[in-house]
Amino acid sequence: MSTTDGSAPPPDASADGRAGAGNGRDAIVRAARRAFTLRPYAEVTMRGIAAAAGVSPSLIVKRFGSKEALFNTVADFGAAADELFAAPSPELGRHLVLTMVELRDRLHGDPLLRVVFSLGIEDERTRLRERFREQVTGRLAAALTGPDAGLRAELIAGQLLGLGATLSLHRPDGASAHTSAERLADLYAPGLQRLVDGA
């Protein structure tokens, strides 16, 4: 069985298209994130998301209620920010890199990049940018000390997006795909840490 985009259904989907209770939500969110990234909001359908997730449309309605509620879930960066920023300032640069790699593996995609660069219509892009600024950049700026906290937060966010883009661009055969998270942190974290410190 394949989805509408030709890919195999997620491993948590059973033969009759119903997802397991534990992972069905994750499959729906992954499919929705992909759909809202690739197509304007008005063109995304619950039926299409259900097919890509290997679940029934009624399960999406039961879990999320509406397309708008599903979009709002996909566009919520708060949980990713909680994990990304869960380290003291002196260790934050390295923590950001390691957590970004771990989140990408766990979520089967970038927790920030896919949604931020959505091809949706201007209203959706505006909502995504505002939410990103509030939940990621603004939150980080408030946690930084010293001068230019807002600018440094924007530069840190930009470097995280750059890391995500690099890892996506060079998979599955690039050097970064065959490099441990620890080695990536060795190379990438010092620049982030300088921005965190304001040096």
Side-chain angles (χ1 to χ4, degrees):
M1 178 176 145
S2 66
T3 62
T4 55
D5 64 0
S7 62
D12 53 309
S14 62
D16 65 359
R18 290 192 309 258
N23 294 325
R25 185 182 189 283
D26 294 339
I28 293 166
V29 169
R30 284 196 302 271
R33 183 181 294 119
R34 186 165 48 250
F36 288 123
T37 298
L38 297 176
R39 291 187 297 280
Y41 179 88
E43 295 178 10
V44 175
T45 66
M46 300 282 261
R47 186 174 298 279
I49 292 171
V55 302
S56 68
S58 62
L59 179 63
I60 298 182
V61 173
K62 179 179 179 182
R63 296 253 174 122
F64 296 93
S66 67
K67 185 171 84 168
E68 182 176 5
L70 181 55
F71 175 84
N72 287 332
T73 298
V74 168
D76 187 355
F77 303 103
D82 287 345
E83 296 190 51
L84 285 166
F85 303 147
S89 291
E91 302 165 18
L92 187 57
R94 187 172 191 85
H95 175 82
L96 287 169
V97 176
L98 295 175
T99 304
M100 188 73 162
V101 172
E102 193 274 328
L103 284 171
R104 287 175 54 84
D105 291 343
R106 184 175 4 127
L107 300 175
H108 304 285
D110 194 290
L112 305 178
L113 187 69
R114 284 185 167 200
V115 182
V116 171
F117 292 114
S118 171
L119 299 177
I121 62 174
E122 184 60 30
D123 285 348
E124 280 74 48
R125 288 199 303 265
T126 298
R127 288 167 63 189
L128 289 169
R129 284 195 300 263
E130 288 173 352
R131 189 164 294 178
F132 186 86
R133 283 195 296 262
E134 173 191 342
Q135 296 179 338
V136 178
T137 314
R139 177 173 169 184
L140 180 57
L144 296 176
T145 59
D148 302 315
L151 174 59
R152 286 158 47 214
E154 289 178 7
L155 293 172
I156 291 167
Q159 288 205 22
L160 286 176
L161 293 172
L163 175 61
T166 298
L167 295 176
S168 295
L169 181 64
H170 297 289
R171 287 195 176 190
D173 298 321
S176 59
H178 304 289
T179 303
S180 71
E182 292 290 337
R183 182 59 179 152
L184 288 172
D186 289 342
L187 295 169
Y188 206 81
L192 287 171
Q193 190 62 50
R194 281 194 294 274
L195 288 169
V196 170
D197 295 339

